Amino acid sequence: MSYHFFVQSDIVFGKGSAGELPGIIKSHGLKNVMMIYDEGVKAAGIAEKVLEQVEKADVKIIIFDKVLPNPSNELVEEAAVLAKEAGVDGFVAVGGGSSIDLAKAVNVLMTNPGTIGQYGGIGNVKNPVLPLVAIPTTAGTSSEITNVVALTDTQAVCKYVIIDNKITPTNVIADPEFTRTMPASVTAATGMDAITHAVESYISNMANPLTEYNSLKGLQVLYKNLPKAVKDGSDMEAREQMMLGCIIAGYGFSNANLGLVHGIAHTLSAHFHLAHGMANATILPYVMEFNAKSCPEKMVELAKAIDLPVTGNMEEDQYLLAKELKKLAEDIGIRTLSEQGIEEKDLDMLADDVLKEPVLNFNPRNNITKEQILDILHKAF
């Protein structure tokens, strides 16, 4: 049997790696570069540091700093108009998944006609895109190395994805110094997002030996270092390891896809604008509990990977991971759905919409019912 495993980005990793940005820009022969980031990155002083490096490349710089969480089609179109008017020939995206995803989406429209919504799904981007340098400031989404963009359709009130190898960032600068100022709550939520990527991709029905290796290794690195990074944001060894684990897990999930956790999280974000990482973190333990009977051996392998005390009794051991993830979420301050403003009356509507999520096709337990989703939502409530 043959397996496909896609890896593309040229990665510069480690403290001080941002200093290589001018050379990267020059290597692409860029003249008009759009920098994309949000207000948080600007307030933390990170945008200014990156801008200093871009200026060394002697290029014209166009700024788009209006990025919002769960970026919408309208925001993509707005940025694309500005980029086209300025004759942009390359991008530098600085921030978390929202900034990098927005840049990837705008990049699609620079060389492909129409509106961004028409590119939803797998393999619908026809033309190659422009150079894009991704500089993550969180350790969670893995957007810097994946072929995936997650956007919000405000008219349909849903999140959808564009999956295409062409949209993967050309270069990545993974400098853990840029995660130093990330608040503990964001560190926790984005870190749990990365752990979700690791475990969901490992049990995905699209997983193969190449993806499984990355998913397991990513989980090990993330599980060991997340509590340290949340407890002490200046622990740069833990910060660097979190960034490393995020990239490793990203290779796994971008090839194996995800499952029910993300299906629920996408719906929560679309309707209530929950931060993606926090939505995943809240739901994760209960979906792992739900999935356990469909892939008990893999659940035990995940438990063993992080040294949980297996007993040899499959009926018990298959739930060890779910229990540990619930404890981890509580220890690092992940909030329940009710604590995030969701009301019990909202759960029925949410369950209906989760059933429409394409990502459920990759979940190991299939034929999922509305009642089963409601049970998960109530447990997370």
Side-chain angles (χ1 to χ4, degrees), residues 57-130:
D58 192 28
V59 294
K60 181 181 178 182
I61 303 168
I62 300 90
I63 302 292
F64 188 84
D65 58 1
K66 300 178 182 180
V67 178
L68 298 171
N70 305 304
S72 65
N73 289 348
E74 291 84 358
L75 198 63
V76 172
E77 304 287 347
E78 179 184 346
V81 168
L82 176 61
K84 290 175 181 177
E85 289 177 347
V88 166
D89 55 6
F91 296 87
V92 174
V94 189
S98 294
S99 293
I100 298 173
D101 275 9
L102 180 73
K104 288 155 84 170
V106 173
N107 204 3
V108 169
L109 295 183
M110 298 302 290
T111 57
N112 292 272
T115 58
I116 194 61
Q118 72 190 63
Y119 295 101
I122 301 175
N124 293 325
V125 179
K126 303 303 179 186
N127 301 318
V129 297
L130 304 175

Side-chain angles (χ1 to χ4, degrees), residues 363-380:
N363 197 70
R365 185 169 176 178
N366 48 32
N367 298 318
I368 300 169
T369 67
K370 177 180 178 179
E371 289 69 29
Q372 290 169 333
I373 295 171
L374 277 171
D375 183 58
I376 291 168
L377 291 172
H378 280 290
K379 286 179 178 178

Side-chain angles (χ1 to χ4, degrees), residues 12-257:
V12 184
F13 184 93
K15 183 178 179 180
S17 55
E20 298 203 25
L21 181 56
I24 292 171
I25 292 173
K26 290 178 180 178
S27 73
H28 291 297
L30 304 183
K31 301 298 181 184
N32 300 297
V33 174
M34 173 174 273
M35 270 187 67
I36 295 178
Y37 54 87
D38 62 24
E39 283 297 322
V41 168
K42 183 178 181 180
I46 296 172
E48 182 179 355
K49 292 178 181 178
V50 175
L51 183 59
E52 290 174 359
Q53 297 299 326
V54 177
E55 289 173 342
K56 293 178 183 178
D58 192 28
V59 294
K60 181 181 178 182
I61 303 168
I62 300 90
I63 302 292
F64 188 84
D65 58 1
K66 300 178 182 180
V67 178
L68 298 171
N70 305 304
S72 65
N73 289 348
E74 291 84 358
L75 198 63
V76 172
E77 304 287 347
E78 179 184 346
V81 168
L82 176 61
K84 290 175 181 177
E85 289 177 347
V88 166
D89 55 6
F91 296 87
V92 174
V94 189
S98 294
S99 293
I100 298 173
D101 275 9
L102 180 73
K104 288 155 84 170
V106 173
N107 204 3
V108 169
L109 295 183
M110 298 302 290
T111 57
N112 292 272
T115 58
I116 194 61
Q118 72 190 63
Y119 295 101
I122 301 175
N124 293 325
V125 179
K126 303 303 179 186
N127 301 318
V129 297
L130 304 175
L132 164 59
V133 184
I135 306 177
T137 60
T138 64
T141 69
S142 304
S143 183
E144 65 272 15
I145 56 95
T146 69
N147 59 354
V148 182
V149 167
L151 298 172
T152 301
D153 185 327
T154 55
Q155 294 185 347
V157 194
C158 69
K159 285 194 77 170
Y160 70 98
V161 293
I162 300 170
I163 302 176
D164 197 295
N165 291 346
K166 299 182 191 69
I167 67 177
T168 308
T170 323
N171 299 82
V172 177
I173 294 177
D175 190 333
E177 283 295 322
F178 289 157
T179 68
R180 184 189 290 271
T181 58
M182 190 166 41
S185 61
V186 178
T187 300
T190 55
M192 286 295 284
D193 186 17
I195 285 177
T196 303
H197 294 154
V199 299
E200 277 212 292
S201 59
Y202 189 73
I203 64 174
S204 164
N205 57 29
M206 294 291 288
N208 64 56
L210 292 167
T211 67
E212 289 170 349
Y213 175 83
N214 284 271
S215 300
L216 271 184
K217 185 62 180 179
L219 174 62
Q220 290 172 330
V221 174
L222 295 163
Y223 175 78
K224 179 179 179 180
N225 289 280
L226 179 55
K228 297 177 185 178
V230 173
K231 183 178 180 180
D232 180 7
S234 63
D235 183 341
M236 293 313 297
E237 181 180 354
R239 290 288 198 191
E240 183 171 80
Q241 288 297 303
M242 286 299 297
M243 187 164 269
L244 177 63
C246 180
I247 290 173
I248 294 171
Y251 288 141
F253 93 79
S254 62
N255 284 277
N257 284 300

